[in-house]
Amino acid sequence: MNPQAKLIFTISLVMGTTITISSNHWVMAWTGLEINTLAILPLISKSHHPRAIEAATKYFLVQAAASTLVLFSSMTNAWHTGQWDITQLTHPVSCLVLTAAISMKLGLVPFHFWFPEVLQGSSLTTGLLLSTLMKFPPITLLFMTSQSLNPTLLTIMAILSAALGGWMGLNQTQIRKIMAFSSISHLGWMAIIIVYNPKLTLLNFYLYTLMTAAVFLTFNSMKVLKLSTLMTAWTKAPSLSTILLLTLLSLAGLPPLTGFLPKWLIIQELTKQDMAPTATIISLLSLLGLFFYLRLAYCATITLPPHTTNHMKQWHVNKPINISIAVLTTLSIVLLPISPM
């Protein structure tokens, strides 16, 4: 893809996101979402591989359906209340339709089927955009309408997301699919708290973006797409593999690392809301995620591949680590101790 086209698409992505997160009117929010969808499509299908074209088609159909539902819910609300303001979403049917639409945009269970497929069809950098930047506008819409959403529905969807994201990630060997299921289970943690403490959802999203970016950039720098290639990557970049171990454990939410902070605060908030059973269930479901992160970490750092196989031994090159990977990884490891500040 030539640089001018790439520049135009990147600017459109930033612009679409900015329009959505800064709008008060539903039609402006919808416009931003549409610009976003149209700008990411060429980035998904740029490799012209059949899988990439299929991924772009799936993405387009799902996002178009979700945008239509966003328009439908806002029009229903405007029809009944005369309000086009995003924060004034009061009609119950509109709230339900909007929840469905945003879940489709984000890939929350039961609307999650498109996400692993699309991620598997796109490159690692596009996958990073899809799992982080493209989720930001829908999350802000949820944030702005959080006071009128249905808590029971969101809690059920969140628990299902955490469960399915964990279970379906267990026997994957493709790294992009594992990251997709990890994203689905993290979205469950964000959805469960949005009604009670929307700011916590945003904090969770920012930290999730940070850690996911670190992981994706590391994989991209190692040129790894499957678990089997990850097993032979330790000879190529030992330092990156070691760092990857810590970042993955942080993504799983283990205590001394950054990823534990949002989980801790969410469990605390749920117990304050007399939802201790829910907090227990979702904490237990995050163990499923921990298993496949551990498997990734195990493949990256602890296993030496069996030397009977005829894989090519890669030369040990000390490539300088990209500065962005260094910064993101440091942040995704050390932010928990400084959280009281």
Side-chain angles (χ1 to χ4, degrees):
M1 184 183 282
N2 70 349
Q4 288 85 357
K6 214 172 219 174
L7 181 69
I8 289 175
F9 296 138
T10 317
I11 290 175
S12 306
L13 272 179
V14 174
M15 187 178 76
T17 307
T18 315
I19 289 176
T20 303
I21 62 182
S22 57
S23 58
N24 287 319
H25 195 287
W26 273 114
V27 175
M28 281 309 285
W30 171 81
T31 313
L33 290 172
E34 285 299 299
I35 293 174
N36 251 358
T37 304
L38 292 176
I40 195 88
L41 284 174
L43 295 178
I44 299 175
S45 61
K46 70 171 182 244
S47 67
H48 297 301
H49 189 276
R51 281 303 292 267
I53 307 293
E54 183 193 338
T57 313
K58 282 178 179 169
Y59 186 75
F60 173 71
L61 291 173
V62 171
Q63 299 297 319
S67 297
T68 317
L69 282 177
V70 167
L71 264 189
F72 178 62
S73 94
S74 52
M75 280 167 69
T76 314
N77 190 59
W79 184 265
H80 283 281
T81 62
Q83 280 287 348
W84 278 101
D85 197 325
I86 294 184
T87 48
Q88 303 294 321
L89 191 78
T90 46
H91 194 254
V93 177
S94 302
C95 293
L96 277 176
V97 176
L98 182 84
T99 310
I102 299 288
S103 312
M104 276 171 93
K105 284 262 174 213
L106 290 171
L108 267 174
V109 175
F111 307 106
H112 63 288
F113 297 101
W114 62 275
F115 189 51
E117 301 294 324
V118 170
L119 218 61
Q120 182 57 32
S122 45
S123 67
L124 279 169
T125 33
T126 314
L128 171 61
L129 283 177
L130 282 172
S131 344
T132 55
L133 185 71
M134 302 301 288
K135 306 252 158 132
F136 188 44
I139 290 251
T140 48
L141 287 180
L142 269 189
F143 180 81
M144 287 191 274
T145 54
S146 59
Q147 73 286 348
S148 48
L149 297 173
N150 181 345
T152 326
L153 178 70
L154 275 169
T155 306
I156 292 169
M157 285 168 86
I159 287 179
L160 284 176
S161 296
L164 277 174
W167 263 313
M168 294 171 78
L170 286 182
N171 64 354
Q172 299 294 337
T173 55
Q174 296 286 343
I175 282 182
R176 286 165 295 184
K177 278 199 171 170
I178 293 182
M179 293 311 293
F181 288 118
S182 126
S183 177
I184 292 171
S185 58
H186 274 275
L187 282 169
W189 280 88
M190 289 173 221
I192 202 162
I193 201 70
I194 186 89
V195 180
Y196 307 106
N197 193 339
K199 285 186 179 151
L200 256 185
T201 298
L202 281 187
L203 172 76
N204 193 344
F205 179 73
Y206 296 145
L207 293 180
Y208 158 76
T209 303
L210 198 89
M211 297 180 290
T212 308
V215 171
F216 265 107
L217 289 172
T218 310
F219 284 141
N220 194 31
S221 154
M222 292 161 123
K223 303 278 179 287
V224 168
L225 294 174
K226 294 199 292 287
L227 279 183
S228 51
T229 23
L230 185 60
M231 285 187 181
T232 62
W234 64 276
T235 49
K236 194 163 55 174
S239 50
L240 266 184
S241 300
T242 319
I243 287 174
L244 182 65
L245 168 75
L246 286 168
T247 321
L248 284 167
L249 292 181
S250 178
L251 203 51
L254 286 188
L257 308 164
T258 308
F260 179 59
L261 176 66
K263 285 190 166 53
W264 177 28
L265 292 173
I266 286 173
I267 290 171
Q268 193 180 353
E269 184 62 37
L270 285 175
T271 8
K272 277 185 200 160
Q273 299 289 343
D274 290 335
M275 292 171 70
T278 316
T280 314
I281 292 170
I282 201 164
S283 317
L284 287 174
L285 287 172
S286 70
L287 289 175
L288 292 167
L290 175 65
F291 178 80
F292 62 76
Y293 292 123
L294 274 177
R295 201 174 75 188
L296 272 176
Y298 184 75
C299 288
T301 52
I302 306 171
T303 46
L304 298 182
H307 292 297
T308 50
T309 57
N310 53 2
H311 75 265
M312 293 295 291
K313 187 70 167 283
Q314 279 134 340
W315 282 98
H316 188 122
V317 204
N318 273 334
K319 268 196 312 189
I321 293 184
N322 190 335
I323 182 74
S324 55
I325 298 183
V327 172
L328 286 168
T329 319
T330 314
L331 287 176
S332 48
I333 293 170
V334 300
L335 278 186
L336 181 64
I338 59 172
S339 57
M341 292 156 61

